[in-house]
Amino acid sequence: MSVYTKTGDQGTTGLLTGERIAKNSCRVEAYGSVDEINSALGLARALCSKAFVKEKIKELQKLNMMLMADLASIAPKAYITEAHVHELEKSIDDLEAKLPPLTAFITAGDSAGGAALDFARTVTRRAERRTLELAASEQINKNVLLVLNRLSDLCFVLMRTEEL
């Protein structure tokens, strides 16, 4: 099978649920931004030195695929659930309990992995904004926005963990 299909040559793309929509639609912008998170996380995983941070990032990349599936579907089926939100919150709480309290703003960059995680955090914030834009005009799974918000927080905590 060829990498190119020519089905998008006229400026449309197919959703997971079969509909064709414009490549510049809010929906494609939202799941495209989530796809960028996956690339940023992949870079972070390649650059991080702590094995458990790398493992957590790999888990997040798998979760991201479900986020994209949710956003690339116009269907009642939800891939992202409340359980995913709670799982991210637990990860944040567990990691934060091991870190010194924040007393000032911090700047990432003491390590390549930490800097990449901070980049992933900002890409996630952008994806959240794009998804909010989509939610203003179309119905989406509310858990997607919650997961994006927690994911950016987890990237921040992972960055702090990596840079310790």
Side-chain angles (χ1 to χ4, degrees), residues 76-97:
K77 176 182 168 98
Y79 293 90
I80 298 296
T81 67
E82 231 176 270
H84 294 106
V85 177
H86 295 304
E87 188 176 313
L88 290 172
E89 289 171 349
K90 182 176 179 349
S91 293
I92 292 166
D93 293 344
D94 290 348
L95 287 167
E96 249 186 338

Side-chain angles (χ1 to χ4, degrees), residues 16 30-31 33-39 41-42 45 54-72 78-92 124 127 131 141-155 158:
L16 190 60
Y31 73 72
S33 294
V34 173
D35 191 22
E36 290 177 44
I37 297 169
N38 235 20
S39 294
L41 287 171
R45 187 164 52 95
K54 289 171 154 304
E55 290 169 24
K56 181 53 78 177
I57 292 170
K58 181 83 170 181
E59 290 172 22
L60 295 176
Q61 288 179 288
K62 290 176 184 176
L63 176 64
N64 242 32
M65 300 305 279
M66 292 172 41
L67 275 170
M68 283 189 288
D70 226 321
L71 290 168
Y79 293 90
I80 298 296
T81 67
E82 231 176 270
H84 294 106
V85 177
H86 295 304
E87 188 176 313
L88 290 172
E89 289 171 349
K90 182 176 179 349
S91 293
I92 292 166
T124 303
T131 304
N141 174 0
K142 67 180 175 85
N143 292 313
V144 167
L145 285 167
L146 297 175
V147 163
L148 285 168
N149 189 276
R150 300 310 181 278
L151 177 58
S152 65
D153 293 337
L154 184 52
C155 285
L158 285 169

